[in-house]
Amino acid sequence: MEFLLNALKAAAEPTRLRLLSLCAHGELTVTELTQILGQSQPRVSRHLKLLCEAGLLERFREGIWAYYRLAERGPVAELARTLVDAIPGDDEGLGLDLERLDLIKQGRRQAADKYFSENAARWHEMRGLHVPERDVEAALLSLLPATGVEDLLDVGTGTGRILELFGERISRGLGVDASREMLAVARVNLEQAGLRHCQVRLGDMYQLSLAGQSQDAVIFHQVLHYAEEPADALAEAARVLRPGGTMLVVDFARHNLEYLREQHAHRRLGFTDDEVSGWLRRAGMRPDPVVTLPGDPLTVCIWRATRTDAPATRSRPLAVA
């Protein structure tokens, strides 16, 4: 019962209740929370530290930034949500906080729109080389069960589109990406879609910061052709899959468009079925027959595989720091 008392003590302060309410509306940095509350950064940081220690908030780092959100797991996660729901909706102070929060989100949207518009031509060029994305998404939806997927991981989440696509089917979604700019776009998209149970994180696909056997499904959507070591990325993803979990890999069939290396940073010019299926088997996966979506000049392939109990293997050992 002590952890419950500690959580109640941590929340029993006006500023900390305001912080809980704000962090229930999305992931926020100390700087953003300071702007909303109009208090000093050391004071806000101290309140956040107490709330995190009590298990009411979660904290994660993204480069030099630290983000906070309402706890979703742990012994007091349900209490955190109960406390937020108990705050009167017509509270004047809360109303002002939410107005300032809207200004923060507007700034995020403007930054995301600017980045997206600056890169739109490059993305549109790639989409014109293969079948319409709606056909790819329809195939993906047919390959993952409509129910029973609690935790979904999207590796190389980009704009967060895969999380949006599966958002209504899953209990929790996590997207990882190596680009902070893309994560900013994804956060805006998920916020606008109302998918608060989906999060994004800065992450390395070769060393995922997730416990083994913690995910029901993992998706690689047009990511593997950027990888130096595709087999290792698949093995790491297999590590976090629960037995019986599903992996979906969407990428191009082998092609000869060499300019994609120079202009779009592709490391690999597509893959053969034998390559990807072989990597999946070595990672402890049981692959199904590949699904092909012919295009001109690029053909999109979707590999679906199921996690067995066999341990994943890597093509090379991880470096030891």
Side-chain angles (χ1 to χ4, degrees), residues 15-176:
T15 296
R16 293 199 281 273
L17 273 178
R18 292 169 68 188
L19 287 168
L20 285 177
S21 178
L22 287 166
C23 290
H25 286 81
E27 299 169 345
L28 297 165
T29 66
V30 177
T31 300
E32 291 169 336
L33 290 167
T34 298
Q35 292 173 359
I36 294 170
L37 297 177
Q39 299 182 14
S40 69
Q41 184 162 326
R43 177 181 172 84
V44 173
S45 295
R46 184 168 63 254
H47 286 310
L48 290 169
K49 182 174 184 292
L50 291 172
L51 291 169
C52 288
E53 289 175 346
L56 295 169
L57 290 183
E58 296 174 352
R59 177 184 184 273
F60 63 93
R61 292 202 66 82
E62 191 170 289
I64 63 173
W65 300 101
Y67 283 84
Y68 296 84
R69 66 176 291 132
L70 200 69
E72 292 189 346
R73 299 175 189 256
V76 296
E78 187 174 347
L79 173 63
R81 175 57 61 181
T82 300
L83 290 171
V84 169
D85 291 342
I87 300 174
D90 59 354
D91 182 86
E92 185 177 350
L94 175 61
L96 290 172
D97 286 347
L98 294 181
E99 286 179 12
R100 297 187 184 106
L101 176 60
D102 282 341
L103 292 176
I104 295 290
K105 290 182 176 180
Q106 286 176 26
R108 286 183 176 183
R109 286 193 290 270
Q110 291 169 1
D113 288 345
K114 181 176 184 292
Y115 175 77
F116 195 83
S117 63
E118 289 173 350
N119 291 273
R122 178 170 60 90
W123 291 327
H124 288 316
E125 179 187 351
M126 283 301 306
R127 287 174 181 157
L129 297 175
H130 58 79
V131 296
E133 198 62 34
R134 63 176 179 274
D135 295 344
V136 178
E137 292 181 353
L140 282 173
L141 287 170
S142 71
L143 291 171
L144 199 64
T147 59
V149 178
E150 295 287 323
D151 296 280
L152 181 144
L153 172 65
D154 180 26
V155 180
T157 194
T159 64
R161 175 56 190 163
I162 292 299
L163 294 177
E164 288 187 73
L165 183 66
F166 287 96
E168 294 184 358
R169 291 188 175 193
I170 61 178
S171 298
R172 290 170 293 275
L174 176 64
V176 297

Side-chain angles (χ1 to χ4, degrees), residues 234-287:
L234 294 179
E236 174 65 352
R239 177 186 68 81
V240 305
L241 264 181
R242 297 181 176 115
T246 301
M247 186 183 299
L248 296 175
V249 179
V250 184
D251 221 297
F252 299 124
R254 182 64 60 81
H255 61 84
N256 59 3
L257 300 184
E258 187 66 36
Y259 80 92
L260 292 181
R261 295 188 195 270
E262 301 170 0
Q263 298 182 25
H264 295 272
H266 288 203
R267 302 294 300 177
R268 305 289 293 265
L269 298 181
F271 305 93
T272 67
D273 181 29
D274 287 343
E275 275 183 310
V276 178
S277 295
W279 293 332
L280 290 168
R281 289 190 184 93
R282 288 198 295 275
M285 306 290 295
R286 184 178 66 251

